Amino acid sequence: MAALDGLPPLRDVIQRHGLDARKALGQNFLLDLNLTQKIARTAGSLEGVTVIEVGPGPGGLTRAILALGAKKVIAIERDSRCVPALAEIGAHYPDRLQVIEGDALKTPFATLADGGPVKIIANLPYNVGTQLLVNWLLPERWPPFWQSLTLMFQREVGLRIVAEADDDHYGRLGVLCGWRTRARMAFDVPPQAFTPPPKVTSSVVHLEPVENPIPCSVSALEKVTHAAFGQRRKMLRQSLKPLGGEALLAKADIDPQRRAETLSVEEFCRLANCL
C-alpha cells in the first residue's frame, strides 16, 4: 500500500519516530498492509462513513481506512509518541484525520458522531479491548450510534464473542453479543503479522446491531449473567441463589438443575425480566 497511498513503509515510520510497541499499553503493531486493508474491507463500504479507530499506533490500519474512501477517521490514541507519525498521515489526507490524544475508556464515543453513518474499526489494545466492546454493547439507548464494529481481539476472546449456548466458549460476553448483535468471526491473524509478535493468534470479529433485540433491562441482564457464569459449573439454583434462586427460576419457567452454559440468550432475557 505504500505505492497506493504514496506514504513510506510502516517499518520506516516506526524506525524514524523511535516507536517500540509497549506491553503496558497493550500494543502490537500490525505492519502487513495487505492485512490492514483486509480488516478495513471487512467493515463493508466506507464511502461517506466516519470511522472511529482506537489505538492506531503508527497508523497502518488508519491508512487502509482512508485509502478505501472513509469520509473521516477519528483516531483515539493514548501514546503521545505516535502522534507525529499520525500527523504525517493527516497531512497526506487533509481534513480527513482527527487524532484525539486520550484514554479510550474515558472517551464519550457517541458524542464524536457527526450525524452521518459511523463504523468502529480497530486493532484493539489487548488490555482494554473486552471492556470497550461491552461499553459499546450496553448503552441504554438502542440502536446505538454505530452501524458496525470490526474489531481485532485475541482469538480466545473472539470465540467468546460469537459463542452460542452449549459451546465451551459461551459465557457472559456471548450472551451480551448474542442479545444485541449479529456477530461473526471474519478471519484469523497469525502472530508473525505483528511487531512484536504476540504469543497468541488474533481474530477479526464483525458485529452489526440487531435493530429490535428482546426487550430487557441492561442492568438486570448484567446481574443475571454475572451470577450465572460466576459459578458456571454449578446448577442455576445454586449460582442464582443471591438473586432469588429457585423462586426466580420457577418464575422464568427454567429447570433449576440446568447450568448457565445451556441457557439461550432468550432464556437469559426471561430471567432478567423476571428479576
Side-chain angles (χ1 to χ4, degrees), residues 164-167 170-171 174-176 178-179 213-217 220-226 228-229 236 240 243 245 247-275:
E164 297 178 355
D166 291 317
D167 184 315
Y170 186 57
V175 174
L176 298 179
W179 172 45
I214 299 166
C216 181
S217 154
L221 187 61
E222 282 204 282
K223 280 179 192 168
V224 167
T225 53
H226 190 270
F229 288 107
L236 288 167
L240 294 181
L243 302 179
L248 173 65
L249 289 156
K251 197 174 173 186
D253 192 25
I254 291 171
D255 181 350
Q257 296 192 62
R258 288 174 66 186
R259 289 180 169 79
E261 67 265 25
T262 70
L263 264 62
S264 67
V265 170
E266 185 272 331
E267 288 173 310
F268 271 111
C269 290
R270 210 157 75 216
L271 275 171
N273 287 329
C274 288
L275 185 66

Side-chain angles (χ1 to χ4, degrees), residues 28-195:
N28 295 89
F29 296 150
L30 187 58
L31 303 187
D32 186 329
L33 295 175
N34 291 319
L35 267 174
T36 57
Q37 282 202 61
K38 190 175 179 183
I39 295 167
R41 283 201 189 95
T42 300
S45 172
L46 300 180
E47 294 293 331
V49 172
T50 295
V51 173
I52 297 176
E53 183 187 4
V54 175
L61 182 54
T62 317
R63 285 166 59 172
I65 295 165
L66 288 164
L68 289 171
K71 180 178 78 172
K72 184 178 184 181
V73 175
I74 301 171
I76 320 295
E77 180 52 70
R78 190 177 169 190
D79 187 354
S80 59
R81 300 173 309 144
C82 295
V83 173
L86 294 168
E88 292 175 8
I89 300 170
H92 191 78
Y93 291 100
D95 303 319
R96 288 177 60 200
L97 176 61
Q98 177 187 353
V99 179
I100 298 174
E101 245 188 284
D103 185 343
L105 289 174
K106 296 174 183 172
T107 300
F109 285 93
T111 65
L112 301 179
D114 60 1
V118 174
K119 296 183 178 185
I120 300 177
I121 307 175
N123 168 19
L124 291 174
Y126 281 166
N127 54 358
V128 295
T130 306
Q131 186 57 56
L132 283 170
L133 173 61
V134 170
N135 293 352
W136 291 325
L137 284 175
L138 296 184
E140 287 295 340
R141 180 175 289 191
W142 196 266
F145 71 92
W146 45 268
Q147 274 191 350
S148 68
L149 307 173
T150 305
L151 308 170
M152 192 188 299
F153 296 93
Q154 296 178 49
R155 188 165 195 275
E156 169 104 4
V157 177
L159 289 170
R160 283 165 46 206
I161 289 168
V162 302
E164 297 178 355
D166 291 317
D167 184 315
D168 287 345
H169 293 93
Y170 186 57
R172 176 171 167 260
L173 199 54
V175 174
L176 298 179
C177 292
W179 172 45
R180 278 190 157 175
T181 73
R182 289 178 297 274
R184 66 178 175 88
M185 293 277 266
F187 58 92
D188 291 339
V189 181
Q192 56 269 29
F194 298 88
T195 298

Side-chain angles (χ1 to χ4, degrees), residues 198-249:
K199 291 178 179 154
V200 293
T201 296
S202 302
S203 294
V204 174
V205 183
H206 183 73
L207 304 97
E208 294 181 359
V210 171
E211 197 165 328
N212 296 301
I214 299 166
C216 181
S217 154
V218 168
S219 59
L221 187 61
E222 282 204 282
K223 280 179 192 168
V224 167
T225 53
H226 190 270
F229 288 107
Q231 301 182 70
R232 64 184 297 142
R233 296 298 165 217
K234 293 190 175 177
M235 291 179 189
L236 288 167
R237 67 184 182 198
Q238 183 65 35
S239 60
L240 294 181
K241 225 174 194 174
L243 302 179
E246 296 210 29
L248 173 65
L249 289 156

